Amino acid sequence: MKPKHILVVSQYFYPESFRINDMGCEWVKRGYKVTVLTGIPNYPEGKFYKGYSWFKKRKEQYCGVDIIRIPLTPRGKGSLGMIFNYFSFLVSGFFWKVFTKVKADLVFTFEVSPMTQALIGVWYAKKHKIPNYLYVQDLWPENVEIVTGITAPIVIKPISRMVNYIYKNCDKIFATSPSFVNEIKKRVFDNKDKVLYWPQYAEEFYRPMAKETVDEIPNDNRFKVAFTGNIGFAQGLDVIIKTAKHFSEHHIKDVCFVIIGDGRNKANLLHEISENSLQDYFIMIDQQPPQRIPILLSACDVAFVSFMNNPLFSNTIPAKLQSYLACGMPIIAAATGETERIISDSASGVCSPIGDGVALAENIIFLKNQASLNEYSLNARAYFLENFEKTKLLDEMDVYFNID
């Protein structure tokens, strides 16, 4: 029997670090033919990766996945650059859909912002009369309002109509949290049962590791709080500036934040650290290959997750949460909603209100004074295996892929 051919539409793919990279590789291992339609890698730095351009490396293979890269403009550092980035991928995708000879059996769109990329999946699936699946990581138009600050109906209403059109033309819509399922169902009027909860998993290399010394993190007696991933405005990292100032004012010197990653807000974060003379409370590490994150986490005591104060993020389960749980890291958070629920249900750590630097400081001191963090670690790993284990979730997706 001929293996099914999956067309993955994802504006981001290897060498950019997104979970769809691993999903594509696993589908190849499971016998599917996989083609990924993606852009020229430029996330999160905002400029094309070395060796890539509008004319170089437009077709590649990655662990058996065929990669087709369509032109886009790099996102740069400002909102205008990001808008051009989003729409250039959409325009390129429209023309690709018209002229491509790729014949797939189903479409799977991996939707982190922008939602506009899902239109390419809709158009292709309609043209070839094949099933169209959508995996929603970011809710639109809510995410647009947060990132751009635009709330004008003249902008938001057309985006809202676009989202409704996309949802209407999907056979299955998978969402990363139960709250996302509920929100999406409000926009689905014909068959609400097609909206399903399918959480993100963490790759196998995310696992507990014995503590070890790494070059970037001094092996001193400071209690180390690790944050990994995108340093954007949505992450609400201003709270750790408030917390560090609280520690400084109270002459607490045996705590520090280990920030691993890059993003649009990193320069601002560095400025705030310098402006407030808080350098002793921060270790800044550039973006790392995902496979190295567990090693860096092993040199820290707890892992941190936070959001800016917006109702959208109470519905979000951030991908880093699964990674932290998989590594058996005690978790400290400045978050509400789904993240707070998981931390509570898993008994893997503590949570403070969004933006409350003093409450976060108190929770850090609370964990620092625990005789042992081992119970939190064991609980985190056990919860991961029960709820976010990779093989179990991919087996479930196989069932949907093979519904005729």
Side-chain angles (χ1 to χ4, degrees):
M1 183 178 175
K2 182 182 174 184
K4 282 200 170 181
H5 184 178
I6 304 169
L7 173 67
V8 174
V9 178
S10 175
Q11 186 163 330
Y12 315 101
F13 196 71
Y14 176 85
E16 295 163 312
S17 295
F18 286 84
R19 204 139 272 156
I20 188 60
N21 300 351
D22 188 76
M23 292 164 67
C25 295
E26 287 300 319
W27 287 333
V28 169
K29 290 178 186 175
R30 286 170 176 248
Y32 298 101
K33 176 176 172 56
V34 181
T35 300
V36 174
L37 181 72
T38 189
I40 302 164
N42 67 106
Y43 180 93
E45 294 90 345
K47 59 184 179 181
F48 290 152
Y49 284 27
K50 186 176 181 180
Y52 291 87
S53 73
W54 283 324
F55 307 104
K56 291 181 182 177
K57 300 178 81 169
R58 292 282 300 280
K59 288 190 176 181
E60 288 186 280
Q61 268 216 344
Y62 173 66
C63 65
V65 175
D66 292 321
I67 304 173
I68 300 171
R69 300 190 185 278
I70 56 178
L72 48 61
T73 59
R75 60 194 283 128
K77 295 295 183 182
S79 296
L80 192 61
M82 188 166 62
I83 291 169
F84 280 116
N85 174 257
Y86 288 0
F87 279 98
S88 59
F89 184 76
L90 179 64
V91 171
S92 293
F94 173 81
F95 285 104
W96 178 86
K97 176 267 301 183
V98 172
F99 296 107
T100 185
K101 292 181 168 53
V102 171
K103 295 290 179 70
D105 298 304
L106 64 93
V107 178
F108 184 95
T109 300
F110 182 81
E111 185 274 323
V112 292
S113 288
M115 174 70 85
T116 47
Q117 66 182 302
L119 287 169
I120 302 170
V122 169
W123 296 333
Y124 183 94
K126 276 178 166 288
K127 178 180 178 181
H128 295 278
K129 297 180 173 58
I130 59 174
N132 182 30
Y133 294 168
L134 175 67
Y135 190 23
V136 177
Q137 320 273 309
D138 290 337
L139 287 179
W140 274 43
E142 296 89 340
N143 201 270
V144 175
E145 295 177 288
I146 292 166
V147 172
T148 67
I150 297 171
T151 58
I154 194 171
V155 175
I156 298 303
K157 281 188 176 180
I159 294 173
S160 185
R161 287 195 293 269
M162 176 197 74
V163 172
N164 291 345
Y165 170 81
I166 290 168
Y167 288 162
K168 182 179 179 181
N169 288 282
C170 290
D171 296 278
K172 297 287 182 189
I173 303 169
F174 302 99
T176 54
S177 78
S179 295
F180 272 22
V181 169
N182 294 335
E183 291 301 314
I184 293 168
K185 282 185 175 181
K186 294 176 184 176
R187 292 179 172 273
V188 173
F189 307 107
D190 50 350
N191 175 19
K192 294 182 185 295
D193 290 341
K194 73 181 182 180
V195 187
L196 303 157
Y197 172 49
W198 195 73
Q200 298 194 73
Y201 63 77
E203 296 89 338
E204 294 97 331
F205 57 78
Y206 287 108
R207 64 188 189 279
M209 300 189 72
K211 276 191 173 295
E212 61 177 273
T213 302
V214 297
D215 292 339
E216 299 94 332
I217 304 174
N219 185 18
D220 52 32
N221 67 346
R222 288 181 294 176
F223 187 80
K224 298 177 180 68
V225 181
F227 173 90
T228 67
N230 185 40
I231 304 172
F233 296 99
Q235 282 68 42
L237 290 177
D238 55 314
V239 69
I240 61 177
I241 298 295
K242 298 175 189 175
T243 299
K245 287 171 72 175
H246 177 84
F247 287 146
S248 179
E249 289 163 4
H250 290 79
H251 308 291
I252 298 169
K253 299 185 180 298
D254 58 349
V255 174
C256 73
F257 293 96
V258 180
I259 310 297
I260 306 160
D262 204 344
R264 290 156 58 84
N265 197 35
K266 186 172 183 178
N268 184 58
L269 183 66
L270 290 169
H271 174 76
E272 288 294 315
I273 292 168
S274 177
E275 187 79 5
N276 291 282
S277 301
L278 298 171
Q279 291 90 337
D280 289 345
Y281 291 95
F282 289 90
I283 297 170
M284 304 298 295
I285 301 174
D286 289 339
Q287 184 181 2
Q288 298 291 308
Q291 292 83 354
R292 195 157 184 266
I293 296 301
I295 298 169
L296 293 168
L297 288 175
S298 75
C300 300
D301 298 283
V302 298
F304 176 65
V305 60
S306 65
F307 289 118
M308 67 185 293
N309 193 10
N310 187 284
L312 171 63
F313 296 119
S314 68
N315 296 331
T316 301
I317 301 175
K320 65 169 60 66
L321 187 56
Q322 278 93 335
S323 302
Y324 292 163
L325 291 167
C327 290
M329 291 297 293
I331 297 170
I332 188 161
T336 59
E338 293 284 2
T339 297
E340 184 177 19
R341 173 186 65 80
I342 288 173
I343 292 171
S344 174
D345 289 351
S346 62
S348 61
V350 292
C351 205
S352 60
I354 290 174
D356 190 333
V358 175
L360 176 59
E362 291 172 349
N363 275 344
I364 291 172
I365 297 302
F366 168 77
L367 288 180
K368 185 174 82 71
N369 291 335
Q370 296 296 299
S372 172
L373 295 173
N374 191 52
E375 186 174 348
Y376 290 114
S377 298
L378 294 174
N379 291 345
R381 180 66 181 177
Y383 191 88
F384 166 78
L385 292 172
E386 179 65 28
N387 295 277
F388 304 124
E389 196 273 326
K390 173 175 162 177
T391 301
K392 188 187 304 183
L393 288 168
L394 287 174
D395 286 348
E396 187 179 317
M397 187 58 72
D398 273 345
V399 175
Y400 296 118
F401 280 173
N402 290 289
I403 294 173
D404 294 318

